[in-house]
Amino acid sequence: MDKLIIQGGKKLEGEINISGAKNSALPILFATMLTDADVVLENVPKLMDIYGAISIIEYLGKKVVWLGNTLKIVSSKSIPKEGKYVVAPYDLIRKMRASFLISGVLLAKNKNIKVALPGGCAIGVRPVDIHISAFEQLGCKHYLQEGYVVFNREKLNSAKVKFKYPSVGATENVMLLASGIDGETIIENAAQEPEIVDLANFLKKIGVKIVGDGSNKISIYGAKKFNNTKIVHRIIPDRIETGTYVIAVSATKGEVILKNVIFQHNKTLIKKLKSCGIKIFLENNSIYIKSTKKIKSKNIVTSPYPGFPTDLQAQFMVLMSLSKGKSVIKETVFENRFVHAAELQRMGANIRIKGNSAYIYGVEKLIGCPVMVSDLRAGAALVIAGLAAEGKTIINRIYHLDRGYEMLEQKLSKLGANIKRIK
Ligand code: UD1
């Protein structure tokens, strides 16, 4: 298994480009299944999760060709069926929880489908009850069979669906299903993440009318006929990759310009980092970051957008470990998202976990050692810790990182980091 070796203690300096957003590209890749039109997706990051989504749509009849970071997607064959069912098989679904979004897309156009139920993961159980109860309200019956959710429907009906929690995945899945429903489907307590707006913008291009995306109430008027002329769409920049680099620069006391960003998507993080004493300037599509010797400690509570993103919580914990004073991080989105704390403690961080809160007492320095990645963002946190630490950090199980950070070592090396991958 590959490992990353980081010789820490170097300030990050220079400039790099931010890649396209994984979490936008995934639902949009699935959404291409709604149309027979040729689709060109620009700014798609080359990541394991993206390759996983491509395998699913290729299995279901699309042909996908890479040209740099652009994907050309065409329909090449009809959707395979097992009896009356379109099946999204376990081997393709299991690698990534977002694959469950294929259920909304398939149900928009097919009456009988079976989709493997994704499992839990290191950060929690991650159920799909919100998706399924919304589907039921829109006319889909379901039952579980041998690890698959079997959905059967006759005519879909529009409805007002009220979520008990603004789940990102459920909002996307219902938008995808509602794209095939005649009439107005309303999602109340919808997620407001920028990736929802990007998906809506793509769906609008294929003929779906959507109002309210980006707010907590979204109306979707399905397309009677999907647009069949060529569609070009550019994926938004990855706000979590952006935030990860902003924190990495802050933790290494560096000075960097990040290009190709939409800084409005990182407003909450930027405001918080400014209050920690980091200098941040925004210009056009760039963010300039200059760190400070004395990072002030600040508290955060993770929450759905526009709150502080759970996907940057682990990285922020590293920064707070190197701050002056005590900070509290409260995680409200996932039930088990402090696995990285134990690894950070092995590097010398002083962190106490109590329920869904982490109490962090800043230390003078972290010291490199071998560590193990438990999930994607925990991996990003350990990389930042390794960059900021004294000595050598060996990061194991980096396949998690390959799911979500395009050209990580190359980008960090460009900024002067001493980082290499060994096979
Ligand atoms: C998406 C992101 C992920 C991010 C998360 C929260 C993608 C591919 N992934 O994940 O990076 O960390 O949003 O910002 O976009 N829940 C239920 N029932 C459901 C669905 C969710 O209880 O049916 C719970 C989850 O267990 C979790 C919380 O709701 O505790 C948030 O999950 P959700 O917003 O659905 O996250 P994902 O879409 O899985």
Side-chain angles (χ1 to χ4, degrees), residues 2-276:
D2 293 8
K3 295 170 197 249
L4 283 178
I5 313 282
I6 301 175
Q7 198 67 47
K10 288 206 160 181
K11 292 179 179 180
L12 295 183
E13 282 169 333
E15 56 179 61
I16 50 165
N17 276 319
I18 293 300
S19 300
K22 164 180 90 71
N23 289 352
S24 265
L26 290 173
I28 292 172
L29 274 167
F30 294 130
T32 64
M33 287 297 301
L34 292 170
T35 171
D36 289 328
D38 293 358
V39 176
V40 175
L41 290 183
E42 298 169 348
N43 203 29
V44 182
K46 289 187 168 163
L47 298 167
M48 293 313 287
D49 277 8
I50 299 294
Y51 299 146
I54 291 173
S55 308
I56 293 172
I57 64 169
E58 282 189 329
Y59 170 80
L60 293 168
K62 293 287 186 188
K63 184 166 177 264
V64 182
V65 179
W66 284 99
L67 260 168
N69 281 97
T70 296
L71 283 181
K72 293 197 171 184
I73 304 166
V74 297
S75 296
S76 73
K77 55 181 195 292
S78 53
I79 296 189
K81 285 194 174 179
E82 288 177 21
K84 65 177 182 177
Y85 286 99
V86 176
V87 181
Y90 177 63
D91 270 350
L92 294 177
I93 298 293
R94 74 184 159 85
K95 295 182 186 138
M96 173 182 59
R97 290 189 45 82
S99 308
F100 196 64
L101 297 179
I102 200 67
S103 55
V105 180
L106 290 178
L107 274 170
K109 296 184 89 174
N110 302 275
K111 288 188 171 168
N112 310 98
I113 70 159
K114 290 184 191 180
V115 178
L117 189 61
C121 63
I123 63 174
V125 179
R126 302 184 82 175
V128 286
D129 55 320
I130 303 173
H131 306 231
I132 289 180
S133 110
F135 283 8
E136 289 268 341
Q137 290 174 66
L138 298 170
C140 308
K141 300 268 165 271
H142 86 283
Y143 61 92
L144 281 179
Q145 187 186 53
E146 294 165 356
Y148 281 75
V149 191
V150 182
F151 289 102
N152 293 295
R153 67 157 176 91
E154 283 307 322
K155 200 173 173 319
L156 293 164
N157 56 269
S158 59
K160 188 191 273 188
V161 176
K162 188 165 183 180
F163 287 171
K164 64 175 182 186
Y165 184 89
S167 155
V168 175
T171 303
E172 292 165 344
N173 222 350
V174 172
M175 286 165 73
L176 292 166
L177 174 57
S179 295
I181 302 179
D182 203 9
E184 181 188 13
T185 301
I186 299 173
I187 308 174
E188 285 187 349
N189 201 21
Q192 303 176 47
E193 271 69 2
E195 294 77 20
I196 303 284
V197 177
D198 206 18
L199 173 62
N201 286 337
F202 177 81
L203 292 173
K204 287 173 195 173
K205 288 180 187 169
I206 64 169
V208 183
K209 186 177 163 202
I210 301 180
V211 181
D213 45 299
S215 78
N216 63 1
K217 184 176 172 190
I218 306 178
S219 291
I220 304 118
Y221 305 82
K224 288 211 171 74
K225 199 170 167 298
F226 291 104
N227 181 2
N228 271 346
T229 52
K230 183 177 165 182
I231 289 144
V232 180
H233 185 81
R234 189 171 177 82
I235 302 294
I236 57 169
D238 194 314
R239 66 192 166 95
I240 305 302
E241 189 198 21
T242 307
T244 300
Y245 282 106
V246 175
I247 296 173
V249 176
S250 306
T252 60
K253 313 282 190 286
E255 185 176 357
V256 163
I257 296 174
L258 301 177
K259 292 160 81 175
N260 181 35
V261 301
I262 300 178
F263 53 75
Q264 288 88 344
H265 294 170
N266 285 99
K267 259 187 179 166
T268 308
L269 171 73
I270 290 171
K271 197 169 163 209
K272 187 57 73 176
L273 290 179
K274 281 183 170 176
S275 73
C276 295

Side-chain angles (χ1 to χ4, degrees), residues 293-306:
K293 280 210 174 90
K294 287 191 178 163
I295 297 160
K296 290 184 204 144
S297 52
K298 292 286 165 188
N299 302 338
I300 57 159
V301 179
T302 64
S303 58
Y305 190 85

Side-chain angles (χ1 to χ4, degrees), residues 272-377:
K272 187 57 73 176
L273 290 179
K274 281 183 170 176
S275 73
C276 295
I278 314 292
K279 289 198 174 62
I280 299 181
F281 299 103
L282 313 169
E283 193 182 291
N284 298 327
N285 298 332
S286 300
I287 300 184
Y288 165 86
I289 311 119
K290 188 174 186 331
S291 191
T292 168
K293 280 210 174 90
K294 287 191 178 163
I295 297 160
K296 290 184 204 144
S297 52
K298 292 286 165 188
N299 302 338
I300 57 159
V301 179
T302 64
S303 58
Y305 190 85
F308 193 99
T310 176
D311 284 353
L312 291 174
Q313 177 259 105
Q315 300 88 316
F316 191 76
M317 188 180 282
V318 178
L319 189 67
M320 288 304 95
S321 295
L322 293 165
S323 72
K324 303 277 167 208
K326 174 189 164 192
S327 57
V328 184
I329 295 182
K330 191 168 174 195
E331 171 61 57
T332 75
V333 180
F334 289 106
E335 74 266 27
N336 184 27
R337 210 173 194 181
F338 287 140
V339 186
H340 46 276
E343 295 300 284
L344 293 175
Q345 276 167 330
R346 297 183 53 254
M347 297 179 73
N350 185 354
I351 303 165
R352 299 279 170 272
I353 307 290
K354 219 172 172 191
N356 67 347
S357 294
Y359 298 83
I360 302 133
Y361 304 86
V363 293
E364 277 301 310
K365 61 180 177 193
L366 297 175
I367 299 185
C369 68
V371 288
M372 191 104 83
V373 177
S374 55
D375 64 87
L376 171 57
R377 307 304 170 184

